Amino acid sequence: MPTAGDIYYTTSNLGKAGSPPLVLIHGAGGSQMGWHLHLRRLPGVNVIALDLPGHGKSSGEGKQSIRDYARSISQFLLQAKVYQCILVGHSLGGMIALQTTIDYPDQVLGTMVVSASAECPIPEEVIQGLLNPLLHSGSMDWLVERLAGGSAGARWVDATRRAVSQTRTGVLYGDLTACHKANLNKELHKIKTPVWLCAGEHDRFFPPRAARVMAGRIGDAQYFGIHGAGHLIPLEKPDEIA
C-alpha cells in the first residue's frame, strides 16, 4: 500500500508528467472514497486521493484541530515528494485545505473548497452525544439528516452513513470538534493564491451564503453554486466538480 508517514493514498497519473497534482482531502469521518471515482481518476490530470490520519486505511490518530490536520497535510506532501500542488477539500477537508494554504503557502498553487466555509457551528450537544451510548444514535441521525438535500439519493446518503459509522467514535468526535472550534475568517486575507469555492444550493451543513461571504474575504476567489445539490457534491455532482 502506498503510504507517506501515517497517510495512505492512491495516485492517478493521467496528466502531464511532472505537473502539479490535485490532492483530494475528504470530509469528517470519511475516506478518499468520499470522492466519486470519476474525480479520483480525472482524465488529463494527476490526482492524489488520501485518507486523513486515523481514517480509512491510514494509521495514526485523528486530530482535534484544523491546524493539526493542516500540519499533517504539509508533512505528507514533503514525504511524498510533492513540492507544490492544488488542494481540493470537501467539508472538513475544505477547511483543512484552506488552513494548509494559509500556513504553508509555498506548497500550494491553488485551492478548491467544496461544501465548506470558514467556520462550522455544529452544536456542542451533538458532538458530545457521540460519546454517550444513550445519545449516540441521535447524534448520528442529526449528522446524516444534514447530508441529505438536493439530488442526494438514498444511495449516497446510506453509503456515507455506513462509512461514517465505521469510523472510530474518537476519530469522528475529533473531526467534529475540529470543525466546531475553527474560525478562519481572520486569516483569509493571508491567502494570495487562487481559490475556487463551490457550494450546493441545498447544503444544510455549510449554506451557500457562507461560501459567498468567504469568497469576498479572499483576494483572488471565485464562487460557483451548483443547482440541485446538497452537501455531498463530490458524489452527487462529480461532472460539475470536474
Side-chain angles (χ1 to χ4, degrees):
M1 296 190 301
T3 60
D6 291 335
I7 292 182
Y8 168 86
Y9 67 101
T10 60
T11 59
S12 177
N13 298 315
L14 299 178
K16 183 179 178 181
S19 62
L22 300 182
V23 176
L24 307 183
I25 309 173
H26 61 79
S31 73
Q32 61 180 270
M33 301 305 290
W35 298 95
H36 196 284
L37 180 62
H38 181 45
L39 297 175
R40 288 181 277 127
R41 301 289 184 270
L42 196 60
V45 182
N46 297 326
V47 179
I48 296 174
L50 58 82
D51 292 345
L52 290 169
H55 298 70
K57 296 181 180 180
S58 289
S59 59
E61 299 295 329
K63 311 299 181 184
Q64 292 194 14
S65 79
I66 300 296
R67 180 153 271 133
D68 284 345
Y69 271 127
R71 186 178 300 110
S72 293
I73 296 298
S74 174
Q75 292 171 350
F76 162 76
L77 293 173
L78 292 175
Q79 291 168 346
K81 294 181 169 52
V82 175
Y83 302 110
Q84 288 190 311
C85 67
I86 296 173
L87 295 177
V88 185
H90 173 244
S91 194
L92 167 69
M95 301 179 82
I96 295 170
L98 284 171
Q99 189 71 68
T100 306
T101 303
I102 292 167
D103 291 349
Y104 307 96
D106 292 343
Q107 294 178 271
V108 184
L109 296 173
T111 311
M112 184 171 184
V113 178
V114 182
S115 304
S117 60
E119 53 186 321
C120 181
I122 299 174
E124 181 70 24
E125 58 268 25
V126 171
I127 301 174
Q128 296 302 324
L130 292 172
L131 303 179
N132 186 327
L134 298 178
L135 302 176
H136 184 273
S137 179
S139 290
M140 290 297 294
D141 288 343
W142 187 94
L143 294 170
V144 173
E145 179 184 354
R146 278 151 184 79
L147 299 177
S151 63
R155 173 189 177 190
W156 297 126
V157 175
D158 290 346
T160 302
R161 179 172 192 144
R162 288 196 302 272
V164 172
S165 298
Q166 292 170 3
T167 301
R168 285 177 289 158
T169 298
V171 172
L172 180 58
Y173 174 86
D175 286 354
L176 298 185
T177 298
C179 287
H180 179 74
K181 294 191 303 184
N183 188 335
L184 304 179
N185 283 306
K186 293 182 179 180
E187 298 186 279
L188 295 176
H189 71 278
K190 298 178 183 178
I191 298 176
K192 306 304 180 185
T193 47
V195 176
W196 297 267
L197 299 157
C198 177
E201 63 178 3
H202 300 301
D203 193 333
R204 299 181 66 190
F205 262 118
F206 292 95
R209 181 181 178 277
R212 290 195 295 269
V213 169
M214 185 165 63
R217 294 174 176 167
I218 300 173
D220 185 4
Q222 295 185 58
Y223 170 81
F224 300 90
I226 296 186
H227 298 295
H231 187 68
L232 301 178
I233 303 177
L235 295 173
E236 299 175 59
K237 302 284 188 177
D239 292 339
E240 284 83 347
I241 296 295

